[in-house]
């Protein structure tokens, strides 16, 4: 067990970079204004300040923003605003949000539900590793907001169960990760099925040259906005060049010496993640492991336990 004194010592209070704008400046639907207050947001973040106004006018957008900048709300709020103002749009799939991982899709879905509470706007997730039937139902019924991973939606398209003719807004979230993970062919196949007159919002933490051709293909006269965070200021970085044979020893030494709580350890391979997890467990740490050979249930449980503080270390 980690003594509380250490827990407190390592807990960081992250002060968000805030602007002098107010959410009320966006003139969002009153129902959204209430939801924002309920969520406890006081001021919009830089990416929200830059992305929400053009997104509300229907423009295409390329947003350079990483996780933690508030980018999710930057695209969710304009989508919901449009649906709340045009209830005749309800009853068909209106927005398609594509994300690289199931965990991110779930997170976006949760944000949508939080802000859409009390309205008739529905959201559904579509990704692999879980049953097709509820997803087919959501597609058939025209759930207004679909949050998907590329592979499974492509399966639905190939089976003819996905009707995407009514999509008016497309969001590509973490486009650089989708590129790294080899999802671009699937993403392109999906986009071929979407109406041309749609609005496209593309978000990416980095903007490598490979992404330019995708951006050119999917957006029209996009506005480019940058959260301009670079390296998050509240995080200290250190690099320890160390031979392979000493890596695990260094990690356990580090954990024992500094006793940090909530530690994410990333490894290059799933196999290595399992090995590090086993070694940490043997050394007496409460650890969990997360990778794509685990069932969706196991993945969700590992994340939930990590978030709840039941695990000190999550190896992914
Ligand atoms: P994201 O970058 O979208 O993953 O958001 C990171 C976290 O910031 C989430 O927990 C959001 O709920 C939170 N967040 C987003 N916008 C704001 C805001 N304007 N004020 C306070 N928290 C926010």
């Amino acid at each position: 067990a980690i003594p509380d004194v250490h827990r407190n010592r390592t807990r960081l209070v992250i002060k968000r970079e805030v602007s002098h704008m107010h959410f009320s400046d966006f003139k969002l639907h009153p129902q959204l204004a209430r939801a924002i207050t309920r969520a406890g947001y006081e001021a919009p973040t830089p990416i929200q300040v830059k992305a929400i106004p053009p997104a509300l006018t229907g423009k295409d957008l390329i947003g350079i923003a990483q996780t933690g900048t508030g980018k999710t709300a930057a695209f969710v709020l304009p989508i919901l605003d449009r649906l709340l103002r045009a209830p005749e749009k309800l009853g068909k799939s209106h927005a398609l949000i594509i994300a690289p991982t199931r965990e991110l899709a779930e997170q976006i879905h949760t944000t949508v539900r939080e802000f859409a509470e009390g309205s008739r706007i529905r959201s559904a997730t579509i990704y692999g590793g879980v049953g097709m039937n509820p997803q087919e139902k959501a597609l058939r019924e025209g759930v207004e907001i679909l949050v998907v991973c590329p592979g499974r939606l492509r399966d639905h398209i190939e089976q003819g169960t996905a009707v995407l003719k009514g999509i008016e807004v497309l969001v590509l979230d973490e486009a650089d990760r989708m590129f790294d993970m080899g999802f671009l062919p699937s993403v392109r196949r999906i986009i071929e099925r979407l109406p041309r007159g749609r609005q496209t919002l593309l978000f990416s933490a980095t903007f490598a040259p490979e992404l330019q051709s995708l951006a050119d293909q999917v957006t029209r006269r996009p506005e480019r906005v940058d959260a301009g965070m670079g390296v998050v200021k509240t995080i200290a970085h250190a690099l320890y060049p160390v031979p392979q044979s000493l890596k695990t020893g260094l990690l356990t030494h580090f954990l024992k010496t500094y006793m940090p709580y909530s530690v994410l350890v990333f490894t290059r391979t799933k196999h290595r993640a399992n090995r590090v997890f086993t070694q940490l467990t043997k050394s007496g740490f409460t650890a969990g492991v997360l990778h794509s050979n685990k069932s969706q249930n196991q993945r969700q449980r590992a994340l939930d336990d990590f978030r709840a503080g039941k695990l000190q270390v999550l190896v992914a």
Side-chain angles (χ1 to χ4, degrees), residues 16 18 23 39-45 48 66-74 104 107 111 114:
R16 224 169 273 287
V18 289
F23 274 107
Y41 295 6
E42 282 169 10
T45 64
Q48 290 163 0
Q66 55 198 161
T67 295
T69 55
K71 68 184 163 71
T72 314
L104 181 61
Q107 235 169 288
T111 304
E114 195 183 329

Side-chain angles (χ1 to χ4, degrees), residues 75-281:
F75 59 79
V76 167
L77 290 171
I79 291 172
L80 291 175
D81 187 75
R82 189 159 344 157
L83 284 169
L84 285 167
R85 287 177 200 280
E88 72 278 2
K89 292 188 193 290
L90 299 184
K92 68 179 167 68
S93 296
H94 170 83
L96 179 68
I97 302 170
I98 310 183
T101 65
R102 299 166 187 175
E103 284 73 14
L104 181 61
E106 274 304 322
Q107 235 169 288
I108 298 167
H109 171 67
T110 305
T111 304
V112 172
R113 297 231 316 223
E114 195 183 329
F115 286 120
E117 203 187 300
S119 77
R120 286 188 294 138
I121 301 167
R122 297 160 300 165
S123 167
T125 52
I126 294 181
Y127 49 67
V130 294
M132 295 281 266
N133 285 345
Q135 302 180 353
E136 279 167 13
K137 187 161 171 274
L139 286 164
R140 213 172 32 239
E141 286 178 354
V143 166
E144 288 76 16
I145 300 177
L146 300 171
V147 191
V148 310
C149 293
R152 177 57 72 88
L153 182 64
R154 189 177 169 176
D155 294 344
H156 282 286
I157 288 176
E158 272 152 24
Q159 279 183 22
T161 40
V163 183
L164 303 172
K165 285 199 292 281
I167 295 292
E168 293 183 21
V169 187
L170 167 70
V171 179
L172 295 173
D173 197 13
E174 300 199 352
D176 49 348
R177 301 250 11 241
M178 292 209 263
F179 184 85
D180 292 341
M181 293 169 83
F183 289 154
L184 283 205
S186 291
V187 169
R188 288 208 166 91
R189 290 295 293 274
I190 294 166
I191 292 172
E192 280 165 16
R193 304 297 178 107
L194 302 180
R196 294 203 178 277
R198 64 166 195 273
Q199 178 183 26
T200 302
L201 311 173
L202 183 150
F203 285 85
S204 189
T206 56
F207 202 78
E210 309 88 76
L211 275 182
Q212 189 62 51
S213 86
L214 177 74
D216 290 343
Q217 241 175 343
V218 302
T219 60
R220 279 192 308 186
R221 276 176 275 123
E223 187 139 327
R224 201 173 152 139
V225 297
D226 200 325
M229 287 260 291
V231 170
V232 184
K233 292 187 195 75
T234 46
I235 296 178
H237 299 249
L239 175 71
Y240 300 95
V242 64
Q244 168 76 32
S245 60
L246 295 180
K247 277 190 190 172
T248 311
L250 178 67
L251 177 63
T252 44
H253 175 76
F254 176 83
L255 293 175
K256 282 185 179 147
T257 308
Y258 297 104
M259 298 207 199
Y261 212 82
S262 289
V263 181
L264 261 173
V265 177
F266 289 105
T267 60
R268 188 174 55 83
T269 64
K270 301 171 196 176
H271 177 67
R272 179 87 191 132
N274 285 335
R275 295 234 336 249
V276 172
F277 162 72
T278 308
Q279 281 156 340
L280 289 178
T281 307

